[in-house]
Amino acid sequence: DPVFQPSLCIVKGNSTDTAFYRVSSMGADQSLALMAGNAIAADLIQAFNSDGFQVGSASNINFTGHTYHYICVADGANDVSFGTFTGDGTDNRNIVISPAFQPEFVWVQPSGVAPAFRTAAHSGDSSSRAHASANEADHIQQFNADGFQVGVSRNANLTVYYYFAFKE
C-alpha cells in the first residue's frame, strides 16, 4: 500500500455502524456521517497524518472486535477536488474548484443536513439526496468546466458546506 497524507477518508465498520468521512478542509477533529443529516462530530476521524489518518475512541468508529473498511484519497491529482464554501443565499451560484475541471461526481453536505450528490447521469438541475427520497431540483444544479453550480437548497446564507468532486 502506498503511504500518503489523505485529503478525504471514508470509514465504515462491518456492522450497523454509520459510515463517516472527513475532508482536509474540515477543522481539527471533525467528521460528518456519510448518509445522515447529523451535525459535525468529534472523536471519529480526528486527523490526517503524513502516513494515513487517526481515529478517535468513539464506539462507532473504533469498537473492539469490529473490522473497519476505508478509502482515502490525496490531493494532487487533476481529477479530484475537496473543499469548503460558505453559502450566500443566492440561486445558480457557481462554485469554482481547485484544481479546476468539469466533475462527473459531486457530493455537498453542510453540518446537520443530509448530503446531496450529482453524477454525470443526472439531468436538468436535479441531484440525489443520500437518503430514501426522489431526485430533487435546486441542490447541485449542473457541472461547469471549472466546478459546479448550486441552487438555494445547497447555498443557505452563512452555512458552511463541505464538498468533494471527482472526474473519471
Side-chain angles (χ1 to χ4, degrees):
D1 293 335
V3 175
F4 62 92
Q5 181 167 354
S7 296
L8 163 71
C9 281
I10 301 170
V11 179
K12 168 74 171 89
N14 65 346
S15 67
T16 58
D17 296 329
T18 300
F20 292 95
Y21 75 96
R22 174 179 171 78
V23 295
S24 56
S25 58
M26 290 178 172
D29 195 14
Q30 293 184 333
S31 300
L32 276 169
L34 192 61
M35 302 301 273
N38 299 359
I40 284 184
D43 202 29
L44 299 163
I45 306 169
Q46 295 184 307
F48 293 142
N49 304 321
S50 61
D51 60 353
F53 62 98
Q54 172 186 318
V55 296
S57 60
S59 63
N60 51 356
I61 201 158
N62 194 3
F63 191 76
T64 301
H66 285 206
T67 300
Y68 291 88
H69 307 279
Y70 64 91
I71 183 170
C72 294
V73 180
D75 277 338
N78 290 329
D79 52 1
V80 177
S81 180
F82 313 96
T84 303
F85 66 92
T86 301
D88 64 12
T90 62
D91 195 15
N92 304 322
R93 179 178 177 194
N94 293 319
I95 305 299
V96 176
I97 62 177
S98 179
F101 60 85
Q102 183 165 341
E104 294 180 51
F105 178 88
V106 171
W107 180 280
V108 178
Q109 183 176 12
S111 178
V113 177
F117 68 91
R118 181 180 174 94
T119 69
H122 282 88
S123 62
D125 80 346
S126 75
S127 53
S128 297
R129 300 288 298 277
H131 57 71
S133 69
N135 286 352
E136 298 176 1
D138 213 32
H139 291 273
I140 306 166
Q141 299 181 144
Q142 69 181 26
F143 296 144
N144 299 327
D146 59 359
F148 57 96
Q149 183 183 89
V150 293
V152 293
S153 295
R154 282 289 177 249
N155 194 29
N157 196 38
L158 302 178
T159 298
V160 175
Y161 293 87
Y162 301 94
Y163 71 84
F164 50 92
F166 301 102
K167 74 177 181 178
E168 194 171 316

